[in-house]
Amino acid sequence: MTKTFDHGGGVRSLQVPIPDNPLGHTLVYVVDTGRGPVLVDTGWDDPASWDVLVAGLAACGTAVSEVYGVVVTHHHPDHHGLSARVREASGAWVAMHEADAAIVRRARETRPERWYAYMADKLAAAGAPEEHIAPLRAARGRRTLPGLSPALPDRDVVPGELLDLPGRRLRAVWTPGHTPGHVCLHLEEDHPARLAGRGRLFSGDHLLPEITPHIGLYEDPDDATVTDPLGDYLDSLERVGRLAPAEVLPAHQYAFTDAPARVRQLLDHHEQRLAGLLALLREPLTPWQLAERMEWNRPWADIPYGSRNIAVSEAESHLRRLVKQGRAEPLAGSEPVAYVAV
């Protein structure tokens, strides 16, 4: 049975399952407008997930064919995966921030073997052992890679501007960090239950009630720009905290209030984590060695292959922040590059 929830004021949510993922589901929001429902995210591209989305819209008294538009908070497949099918079924427009639209275009245009080579080289530079890299080198001849044909958006989500939702006021707030083009969406209308604060915020993965979103490196095989995703995320958090919405409607878990308090918790969490990494960096460590020593939700030995790659990316994003702050630096002459606290 499809789980739906009425948040009041013409906003409902559906739990669209994510296959084989501890998060369980993505909350897809259905926003009533004068031209038909607009979806905030669509969920994972899987037949069972599609069936749940279709049934959920029916339970809300509408249908996929009635959808007017899709606003994608970010390009990840548990948010953008079903956008193409929704568009095919309805003729809806699909909107996304240009920075994430560029990632979608690149994913569609880059040959799979280029991605495998890029990932192998990145892991080698991070100090990963050869036995971890070997499967990627062996996979270079494969012609397919999951998630390489996401829907190209039709429209840009422009930060600071109202989106095309007739009869509603939904403003885009650019919140890079989790991805370079992540957006939150501020519904600038009185809260239906008259809660104190400024409207409601669809927060995607940027602000979640109990989870800290993954902040890794922005991956681009053809761009050598040294980005600072964690710095972007922390700045974006403060921006959202200042909005002070009455209620936050996130893409996972559940709706919650007091966004400024949650923002403070996350800022404190990352500062504590950076301090903990500095303690580890009393001795020179590569990003891989640092990831091995960081605290995760399970021991390093129990972390599966793909999740180790994500963990190393997160270690690197924290290292970049420490280097940018002048609190750590690369050790001259080290190969692969090791870092040490200043």
Side-chain angles (χ1 to χ4, degrees), residues 85-245:
R85 288 197 68 175
V86 171
R87 181 166 59 192
E88 287 165 12
S90 63
W93 48 260
V94 175
M96 180 186 290
H97 187 281
E98 168 55 29
D100 272 22
I103 294 172
V104 169
R105 284 194 296 273
R106 191 167 60 245
R108 293 169 64 97
E109 295 165 3
T110 304
R111 299 187 319 276
E113 57 267 28
R114 175 81 172 95
W115 279 108
Y116 285 118
Y118 170 72
M119 291 189 288
D121 291 345
K122 288 277 291 180
L123 285 163
E130 185 55 38
E131 62 264 25
H132 184 87
I133 303 169
L136 290 170
R137 300 203 194 282
R140 285 186 184 185
R142 288 189 200 165
R143 296 190 177 181
T144 59
L145 192 64
L148 284 192
S149 56
L152 284 169
D154 312 290
R155 301 182 179 186
D156 287 339
V157 172
V158 181
E161 292 193 2
L162 291 171
L163 283 93
D164 177 19
L165 274 69
R168 311 301 298 255
R169 290 185 60 83
L170 188 68
R171 194 177 302 277
V173 183
W174 184 34
T175 51
H178 184 57
T179 71
H182 191 290
V183 290
C184 293
L185 304 158
H186 189 201
L187 192 60
E188 298 177 337
E189 302 169 7
D190 289 341
H191 191 280
R194 301 290 185 225
L195 297 182
R198 301 174 57 200
R200 291 183 280 181
L201 187 76
F202 300 102
S203 66
D205 280 0
H206 182 68
L207 194 62
L208 302 167
E210 297 177 8
I211 303 170
T212 304
H214 165 66
I215 310 295
L217 297 187
Y218 301 148
E219 305 292 358
D220 184 349
D222 302 312
D223 188 353
T225 306
V226 179
T227 57
D228 179 20
L230 182 55
D232 292 345
Y233 179 65
L234 299 176
D235 290 344
S236 301
L237 274 179
E238 294 189 358
R239 190 177 313 128
V240 163
R242 288 192 293 272
L243 275 179

Side-chain angles (χ1 to χ4, degrees), residues 20-102:
D20 303 317
N21 188 294
L23 279 174
H25 58 262
T26 302
L27 291 172
V28 171
Y29 291 93
V30 185
V31 184
D32 294 340
T33 82
R35 293 280 295 276
V38 167
L39 305 184
V40 177
D41 293 332
T42 55
W44 191 275
D45 184 8
D46 177 80
S49 302
W50 171 254
D51 290 346
V52 168
L53 180 63
V54 170
L57 287 168
C60 290
T62 184
V64 175
S65 60
E66 300 297 315
V67 173
Y68 172 59
V70 174
V71 188
V72 183
T73 60
H74 61 296
H75 73 87
H76 287 163
D78 55 324
H79 298 259
H80 182 44
L82 286 170
S83 299
R85 288 197 68 175
V86 171
R87 181 166 59 192
E88 287 165 12
S90 63
W93 48 260
V94 175
M96 180 186 290
H97 187 281
E98 168 55 29
D100 272 22

